[in-house]
Amino acid sequence: MEVRQDAAMDNRSSEDRQRRHPSPSKQPKSSPVPVDTNSVTQRLQRELMALMMSGDLGVSAFPKGESIFTWIGTIEGGKGTMYEGLSYKLSLQFPMDYPFKPPQVKFETMCFHPNIDQFGNICLDILQDKWSAAYDCRTILLSIQSLLGEPNVESPLNSSAASLWSNQEDYRRMVHKHYAAEEAYWSLSP
């Protein structure tokens, strides 16, 4: 009986968290602008070219397979941050009415960070309510790279990471522990 009550309490506390901190992957309602997938495809192709030619250190992304709407990105931790020397994979799913709606971006590599939850969801304003059609993939990747070194501990998705942030030595250990666990997992996978 206690197990059922504990499970019910966990479900309720999870629902409470969802109400207080809605999932960052929730997208705004559809745009009233008619969708022209050809123009979206052209824009994504231009963004891909611009990203490849930018020369930005530590960020890259390419379409996954044949679809221009699904990309795999890579972000390296910035110099002087807790993430320096670490490389993270992300998935980017562009909606059909991009750039009027932001892409869904998630960490595919486990990342211990105040603004990234255990499922890879990212709490970053430009991916939510501060989105602008002027942003592009390069802007998104550079913003996420910057977020790694400068978290918003006032709006955490991972409260244990947020509370540990003030102790930089312990925080660094946890970042590397989580990263090593991810590396070990993938090296054992068939």
Side-chain angles (χ1 to χ4, degrees):
M1 190 65 168
E2 288 180 27
V3 172
R4 280 192 196 142
Q5 287 177 331
D6 287 344
M9 296 278 283
D10 285 344
N11 284 341
R12 272 183 268 154
S13 64
S14 174
E15 290 169 5
D16 289 343
R17 276 193 303 276
Q18 281 291 1
R19 276 194 292 275
R20 286 183 300 210
H21 301 288
S23 172
S25 62
K26 298 237 173 165
Q27 298 293 314
K29 291 196 169 129
S30 289
S31 162
V33 178
V35 176
D36 176 6
T37 57
N38 190 41
S39 66
V40 176
T41 298
Q42 289 174 354
R43 175 169 170 148
L44 287 172
Q45 289 170 338
R46 283 192 308 272
E47 287 189 24
L48 177 60
M49 247 345 197
L51 182 61
M52 289 177 4
M53 302 301 283
S54 72
D56 291 318
L57 295 176
V59 297
S60 64
F62 300 96
K64 178 182 177 184
E66 298 296 315
S67 174
I68 192 76
F69 290 91
T70 304
W71 294 19
I72 295 293
T74 304
I75 292 181
E76 294 176 12
K79 285 191 183 272
T81 70
M82 303 289 176
Y83 301 88
E84 183 175 358
L86 305 180
S87 180
Y88 293 90
K89 287 208 180 305
L90 297 106
S91 61
L92 297 92
Q93 182 66 48
F94 295 90
M96 295 301 227
D97 51 356
Y98 179 79
F100 302 105
K101 283 177 47 182
Q104 289 184 340
V105 184
K106 292 178 79 169
F107 272 79
E108 296 299 322
T109 306
M110 186 185 332
C111 183
F112 183 77
H113 189 276
N115 306 116
I116 302 164
D117 72 13
Q118 64 186 355
F119 304 110
N121 296 312
I122 306 166
C123 183
L124 181 62
D125 58 358
I126 70 164
L127 293 175
Q128 299 167 42
D129 57 336
K130 300 288 187 207
W131 174 254
S132 164
Y135 294 141
D136 61 9
C137 183
R138 179 178 172 270
T139 306
I140 294 166
L141 295 173
L142 290 172
S143 295
I144 294 170
Q145 185 183 46
S146 176
L147 181 70
L148 287 179
E150 300 173 23
N152 178 358
V153 293
E154 300 303 316
S155 179
L157 281 180
N158 180 338
S159 56
S160 64
S163 64
L164 196 56
W165 177 253
S166 61
N167 184 335
Q168 296 287 283
E169 189 175 316
D170 287 348
Y171 185 89
R172 182 184 305 274
R173 265 192 238 116
M174 284 301 280
V175 165
H176 287 272
K177 179 181 175 182
H178 277 78
Y179 192 83
E182 178 82 3
E183 291 286 302
Y185 172 78
W186 287 112
S187 68
L188 296 175
S189 295

